[in-house]
Amino acid sequence: MDTTIENANDPGVLLLVGSSGGHLAQLLALRPWYESWRRCWITFDTPEAVSQLVGEEVVAAHHPTTRNVPNLLRNTVLAWRVLRSRRVAAVVTTGAGVAVPFVLLARLWRVPTVYIEVYDRIDTATVTARLCRPFLSAMLVQWDEQRRQYPEATVVGTLL
């Protein structure tokens, strides 16, 4: 059977990348937007994340990510594998450290990358946003005040 036409019409999978906890909660708040997409979640294998993502495709990322070079390298290999094994339509992330290798590699492969700055960092930029920013297709913020750090950003309002 020839699947060329099916594949040409396949918009791909949406990668939703975020640490567990508040980062994941903010991505989950986007449900009305992403519910019609095929999606794959990249997050940590924590009891909270597992319970919130029942029935979803989840790829467990390595943690902790803060100042942990070995896990950065592991997550870079993971990003490579995930991006190579799927037709990815876009990478959407709220951070934190797990986002960096996914954004960098996705951008190298010309996959659109969207970063949503977290709602609780109003006066200063997060380290992850600063690292990802040069590689983003779009920067979204939740507060008008966050545009002081990201003048090019689009204000989408609070997610939580």
Side-chain angles (χ1 to χ4, degrees), residues 40-77:
C40 176
W41 295 83
I42 312 296
T43 192
F44 304 142
D45 186 13
T46 63
E48 177 187 25
V50 169
S51 69
Q52 291 176 315
L53 296 172
V54 170
E56 297 282 337
E57 179 185 2
V58 179
V59 175
H62 302 277
H63 66 93
T65 56
T66 306
R67 296 178 189 90
N68 191 311
V69 174
N71 281 344
L72 173 63
L73 296 174
R74 287 182 188 105
N75 285 328
T76 301
V77 171

Side-chain angles (χ1 to χ4, degrees), residues 121-141:
R121 290 298 292 269
I122 298 170
D123 297 324
T124 59
T126 59
V127 171
T128 305
R130 289 190 309 238
L131 292 171
C132 291
R133 192 173 177 191
F135 306 98
L136 297 175
S137 304
M139 178 71 183
L140 309 179
V141 294

Side-chain angles (χ1 to χ4, degrees), residues 96-117:
V98 66
V100 174
F102 282 89
V103 167
L104 296 175
L105 289 175
R107 189 59 176 196
L108 286 174
W109 284 325
R110 294 182 173 89
V111 171
T113 53
V114 179
Y115 192 97
I116 306 168
E117 182 63 293

Side-chain angles (χ1 to χ4, degrees), residues 13-19 23-24 26-28 30-31 33-35 37-44 53 56-59 82 88 90-95 98-99 102 114 116:
V13 64
L14 184 64
L15 285 187
L16 296 159
V17 181
S19 302
H23 295 276
L24 179 59
Q26 290 176 70
L27 286 172
L28 286 165
L30 295 170
R31 172 173 244 116
W33 174 76
Y34 66 68
E35 66 187 347
W37 282 85
R38 281 188 310 115
R39 57 200 169 270
C40 176
W41 295 83
I42 312 296
T43 192
F44 304 142
L53 296 172
E56 297 282 337
E57 179 185 2
V58 179
V59 175
V82 169
V88 177
V91 173
V92 177
T93 184
T94 53
V98 66
F102 282 89
V114 179
I116 306 168

